Amino acid sequence: MQQTKKDYFFRVVVAGGGFGGVKAALELAKDPRCAVTLVSDEDTLTYHPLLYATATGASRKISSIPLSRIFAGTNIRVVKDTIVGIDSSRRLIVGRSRQYEYDAVVFGLGVVTNYFDIPGLAKYSWGIKSPEEIRAFRKHLHDELITTKHFDKHYVIVGAGPTGVELAASLKDYLLKVGRWHGLKQHHVNITLVEAAPRVLPRMSEKTSRAAAKRLRELGVHTLLGTTVKGLDDHTLHAGDRTIATETVVWTSGVTNHPFYAYNQDVFRLSERGFVTVNEHLEAAPGVFVVGDNAATKYAGLAQTAISDGAFVAGVIKSRFSGAHLPIYRPKAPFSVVPVGHGWAALERLGFRLTGKSASWIRKIADLIGYHDLLPLGPAIKLWLSERETEEFGCKLCQKNNGSSRVARNT
Ligand SMILES: Cc1cc2nc3c(=O)[nH]c(=O)nc-3n(C[C@H](O)[C@H](O)[C@H](O)COP(=O)(O)OP(=O)(O)OC[C@H]3O[C@@H](n4cnc5c(N)ncnc54)[C@H](O)[C@@H]3O)c2cc1C
């Protein structure tokens, strides 16, 4: 059925199938007046909080959820396309394949990796920000073991924020399992976490940071703090005044806003840090809303914020269509829970802090709540339970991808 304003449908286009966009679409679709089209360049939602687990052997399905599954039973139209422009005077969104007319549009395109122009990083480092990067990273780990029959001299993770800490804490166990699978006799793995700030988890309190550093030491992770990465080549990382022999450097340090907004500055005004300036309704221009990582809001950069932004914007759009009073955006303080190895986590929210096993249980519950924000309870529980499944260490992965490991680093 052609859905036009004449039929009293409001055309809402959602650009981006991540946390913010998906939540906005789900909430909007509950209103029968809204005809929602979600345009994403991927078929799946990347569940970033569990990418570190997939990178270290957990099932891919826990960090990559098909949009078709999320939107099953709704009337949301999902289109695979890449958004490249906006003509706000004609209320048109421009995709690579076609154009989309809108009465309201919600943008949630996420962020991209920033290498800060450090020589060699883009070419030689590995990333864990997407399922493709993880596939390439895991293949590299396997290929290296198969080819050399020993572990890398150093596995280096750059950035001791949550992602770097989570990965460093889980990598050793995974490598030892993979090593056993490949018949390796070696039992020692060197994991080094490099951070420019003087402490790990620099955005959390000093107490939490100290507890996490102790936990990392117990897990055998070596930390190099106050150390800035200067360059990377084929076999060597230059960090501070050291050179570290390594074939495996994972860059978790920097992100920057999606370039789409800088290309469309006739519509979007950018903050000093390059994020989109929005008003108290998360509106960047009339009828153009921005959610999640892209918006210059207090707690942007977290899935929890993106989800709550998506729900908020859906409320604003529905109120506007009804001619009702528009809600005002109030940033919600998120809570950070960082798993540091099996059965241990560090949690903080507004001055409250907790570390250890109980925090790790809270993190597990937070994952269930996160899934349930996107899926009905039954499928959310099923997916949550599959967090415990591991993928075969062997080597379906290696046999399937029988090329050189060098070609697949960050693109
Ligand atoms: C490794 C990692 C771990 C993280 N862990 C946590 C955590 O534990 N807790 C937490 O709260 N947050 C975490 N975050 C942050 C969280 O993932 C982000 O804040 C959240 O994903 C932001 O949601 P979003 O909707 O703004 O963007 P995203 O979820 O990134 O979604 C953007 C979507 O837009 C699509 N897209 C991009 N460009 C285009 C285009 N041109 N056209 C069409 N579609 C496009 C993308 O494919 C994607 O589907 C983590 C992030 C990373 C990278």
Side-chain angles (χ1 to χ4, degrees), residues 15-22 39-52 67 79 81-84 107-111 128-130 162-163 166 252 255 258 260 291-295 299-307 334-339 363 367:
F19 287 96
V22 162
V39 186
S40 185
D41 59 356
E42 296 287 346
D43 294 318
T44 55
L45 173 138
T46 300
Y47 195 90
H48 294 101
L50 287 172
L51 279 176
Y52 85 91
L67 292 175
V79 182
D81 195 2
T82 302
I83 300 297
V84 291
F107 280 96
L109 300 177
V111 284
I128 65 154
K129 288 199 180 71
S130 68
T163 303
E166 287 163 5
T252 71
V255 289
H258 196 290
F260 172 84
V291 295
D293 285 3
N294 299 150
Y299 299 117
L302 288 166
Q304 302 154 62
T305 305
I307 288 173
F335 67 95
S336 315
V337 206
V338 182
R363 165 63 193 232
D367 284 334

Side-chain angles (χ1 to χ4, degrees), residues 79-389:
V79 182
K80 187 166 182 183
D81 195 2
T82 302
I83 300 297
V84 291
I86 172 169
D87 180 343
S88 57
S89 60
R90 291 165 61 212
R91 297 208 161 222
L92 272 183
I93 299 298
V94 184
R96 277 215 182 109
S97 327
R98 47 162 296 195
Q99 299 188 333
Y100 307 86
E101 290 179 276
Y102 67 85
D103 296 304
V105 55
V106 180
F107 280 96
L109 300 177
V111 284
V112 295
T113 303
N114 189 355
Y115 299 103
F116 303 106
D117 293 327
I118 300 170
L121 270 187
K123 184 165 181 196
Y124 295 113
S125 72
W126 303 92
I128 65 154
K129 288 199 180 71
S130 68
E132 296 71 35
E133 286 187 352
I134 282 180
R135 210 169 296 132
F137 173 60
R138 280 177 48 169
K139 175 172 152 41
H140 160 72
L141 298 178
H142 283 244
D143 283 356
E144 208 188 14
L145 288 179
I146 291 169
T147 316
T148 65
K149 304 275 185 262
H150 56 72
F151 290 119
D152 201 341
K153 288 200 181 86
H154 296 96
Y155 294 90
V156 184
I157 295 150
V158 185
T163 303
V165 166
E166 287 163 5
L167 179 67
S170 319
L171 189 57
K172 188 174 172 179
D173 269 0
Y174 177 58
L175 284 166
L176 289 173
K177 281 179 195 160
V178 175
R180 277 199 295 276
W181 177 273
H182 289 298
L184 226 71
K185 299 278 180 289
Q186 213 183 338
H187 298 295
H188 183 71
V189 183
N190 268 322
I191 313 258
T192 304
L193 186 58
V194 178
E195 167 61 49
R199 58 193 181 87
V200 301
L201 299 177
R203 295 214 179 144
M204 294 178 100
S205 69
E206 289 198 21
K207 265 191 170 173
T208 300
S209 176
R210 272 199 300 276
K214 180 165 174 276
R215 168 74 177 163
L216 286 167
R217 267 196 309 279
E218 287 164 3
L219 292 170
V221 175
H222 179 57
T223 48
L224 272 183
L225 303 173
T227 304
T228 311
V229 167
K230 293 181 177 152
L232 176 64
D233 60 39
D234 223 359
H235 308 291
T236 317
L237 175 75
H238 305 275
D241 52 9
R242 293 165 197 250
T243 53
I244 302 171
T246 174
E247 309 282 320
T248 314
V249 173
V250 185
W251 175 250
T252 71
S253 272
V255 289
T256 189
N257 201 7
H258 196 290
F260 172 84
Y261 303 98
Y263 291 135
N264 291 282
Q265 286 195 56
D266 51 327
V267 177
F268 302 100
R269 210 156 52 81
L270 302 187
S271 70
E272 244 175 60
R273 294 184 53 231
F275 293 94
V276 181
T277 306
V278 285
N279 68 11
E280 71 273 27
H281 310 304
L282 294 186
E283 200 169 19
V288 180
F289 298 85
V290 180
V291 295
D293 285 3
N294 299 150
T297 59
K298 189 167 177 188
Y299 299 117
L302 288 166
Q304 302 154 62
T305 305
I307 288 173
S308 104
D309 286 3
F312 170 81
V313 155
V316 172
I317 293 171
K318 289 191 261 184
S319 303
R320 178 159 297 158
F321 290 159
S322 315
H325 182 71
L326 301 188
I328 304 290
Y329 185 67
R330 307 217 186 284
K332 272 195 203 148
F335 67 95
S336 315
V337 206
V338 182
V340 190
H342 183 69
W344 198 101
L347 177 153
E348 272 189 10
R349 185 174 191 266
L350 294 175
F352 173 75
R353 51 178 297 278
L354 186 68
T355 53
K357 203 167 184 69
S358 39
S360 126
W361 274 107
I362 294 175
R363 165 63 193 232
K364 284 191 198 312
I365 292 163
D367 284 334
L368 175 59
I369 294 170
Y371 284 146
H372 185 37
D373 267 319
L374 310 166
L375 293 165
L377 189 58
I381 291 177
K382 202 168 159 211
L383 193 54
W384 182 66
L385 290 175
S386 58
E387 273 184 32
R388 292 181 206 156
E389 289 171 19

